[in-house]
Amino acid sequence: AVWETFTGPHHIRTLAEHYGIFRDLYGNAYFIPSVILKIFYDFDEETVTPVYRGNTVKPREAAKEPMVEFQSQPDDLWTLILTNPDGNLLENETECLHWFILSLKERTFSTLSFYRELQDNITPAGLSWFQSDWDSSLTDFFHHTLKMREPVYEYDFPKPYLAPQKYFPLRRQFNTYLDLHRDPKEINKEILLQRLKNLNPLEPEPPVLPFPGAQSIPKDLTTWERRDLKRKRLGVGKYRNLFRGSNRPNI
């Protein structure tokens, strides 16, 4: 209670800045969340899923409306918004407003526009948020409730910086250094051919070595060959695709 009264609101504001809440909802304007929100979802008859500041709540845990509690005077009027900053399936750069019994198209919302229109009459006071990722309940929700195809999201990772290749890289294992400057497709093809070489389509996959990291390595190999053989046995690095599923080595 002491934290909620004194330092808590300032800590919550700092967390909200870290998560980009003010940037995404208020156009970089901010406020001190002086009203502490206590929010939870009923999970089953005995347990609840709480909402704090940035914790993860799975979609199946947030399928029902949450319970929201905060201190208020009997005659106070409040506006409570439950919005998803990046969950609009129809329009980019807009939010999806929950708790509306409307079509999906009418859920498009902008907290910033809403606040700008009513800023003479309302003042933001409380703030809580959670993160959510995919689980299997979403497949049924999209197909049978929204009656639409389940969206698939991909992220284009920026290419890592690669320094210009050197003829004599000091203190670098030459084979792994050369792999950095090879076409990844060429490396993947090479590993795939190694995998297919040991497979018989009519038989199960051959068992892997037990405790491959503890297996002896021939002494007549060079240092780089010994390291490369160990990575291959463990299925790490570029050799990860040598093994699939439950047939992966027990490291």
Side-chain angles (χ1 to χ4, degrees):
V2 173
W3 176 82
E4 291 179 353
T5 303
F6 294 99
T7 60
H10 298 278
H11 291 165
I12 295 174
R13 175 203 158 183
T14 300
L15 278 172
E17 289 180 326
H18 172 75
Y19 279 93
I21 302 297
F22 295 122
R23 178 198 63 208
D24 295 339
L25 299 185
Y26 293 94
N28 287 320
Y30 68 88
F31 63 93
I32 304 297
S34 57
V35 175
I36 303 298
L37 301 177
K38 296 182 179 179
I39 305 174
F40 58 89
Y41 289 91
D42 282 331
F43 184 65
D44 54 34
E45 295 181 355
E46 299 180 352
T47 59
V48 298
T49 300
V51 174
Y52 296 116
R53 265 72 59 176
N55 59 307
T56 297
V57 177
K58 285 292 187 179
R60 61 164 47 94
E61 298 175 303
K64 300 179 181 179
E65 68 274 10
M67 302 296 293
V68 182
E69 299 176 355
F70 55 90
Q71 293 185 355
S72 172
Q73 298 299 321
D75 297 331
D76 289 345
L77 297 177
W78 297 89
T79 298
L80 185 61
I81 297 174
L82 174 57
T83 185
N84 185 343
D86 51 10
N88 196 311
L89 300 174
L90 303 178
E91 298 182 32
N92 292 328
E93 307 301 329
T94 55
E95 304 160 45
C96 181
L97 189 64
H98 294 270
W99 282 353
F100 269 19
I101 305 176
L102 302 160
S103 68
L104 189 62
K105 186 179 299 184
E106 293 175 303
R107 288 175 181 251
T108 297
F109 184 74
S110 169
T111 301
L112 180 59
S113 299
F114 176 79
Y115 176 64
R116 282 175 174 171
E117 181 181 348
L118 301 172
Q119 60 183 335
D120 293 336
N121 302 311
I122 63 174
T123 300
L127 189 64
S128 288
W129 65 95
F130 67 91
Q131 303 179 86
S132 192
D133 53 13
W134 185 90
D135 71 13
S136 57
S137 68
L138 289 179
T139 301
D140 179 77
F141 175 74
F142 276 101
H143 290 177
H144 298 99
T145 302
L146 297 182
K147 299 187 184 304
M148 61 182 291
R149 293 181 60 184
E150 184 177 359
V152 177
Y153 298 95
E154 296 181 351
Y155 179 74
D156 293 328
F157 289 93
K159 293 183 179 180
Y161 170 75
L162 188 61
Q165 189 172 5
K166 299 179 181 179
Y167 283 105
F168 301 101
L170 298 177
R171 298 182 180 179
R172 300 292 297 271
Q173 188 171 319
F174 85 94
N175 62 321
T176 56
Y177 180 78
L178 291 178
D179 284 343
L180 291 176
H181 296 271
R182 294 175 61 191
D183 186 347
K185 293 182 179 180
E186 179 184 341
I187 297 177
N188 292 335
K189 179 180 179 181
E190 180 182 289
I191 300 303
L192 177 62
L193 291 176
Q194 291 186 37
R195 173 176 165 76
L196 295 177
K197 183 178 180 180
N198 298 319
L199 292 181
N200 185 332
L202 303 178
E203 297 179 359
E205 291 196 36
V208 296
L209 291 171
F211 305 105
Q215 298 291 328
S216 61
I217 298 178
K219 296 182 179 180
D220 58 344
L221 298 180
T222 62
T223 301
W224 73 266
E225 287 176 320
R226 293 166 65 88
R227 291 177 178 172
D228 195 62
L229 178 59
K230 188 171 183 179
R231 291 192 185 98
K232 186 175 182 179
R233 288 177 175 177
L234 295 175
V236 297
K238 71 176 183 179
Y239 294 111
R240 179 173 178 79
N241 289 333
L242 273 179
F243 307 94
R244 297 291 172 85
S246 60
N247 199 48
R248 300 197 64 79
N250 182 19
I251 300 178

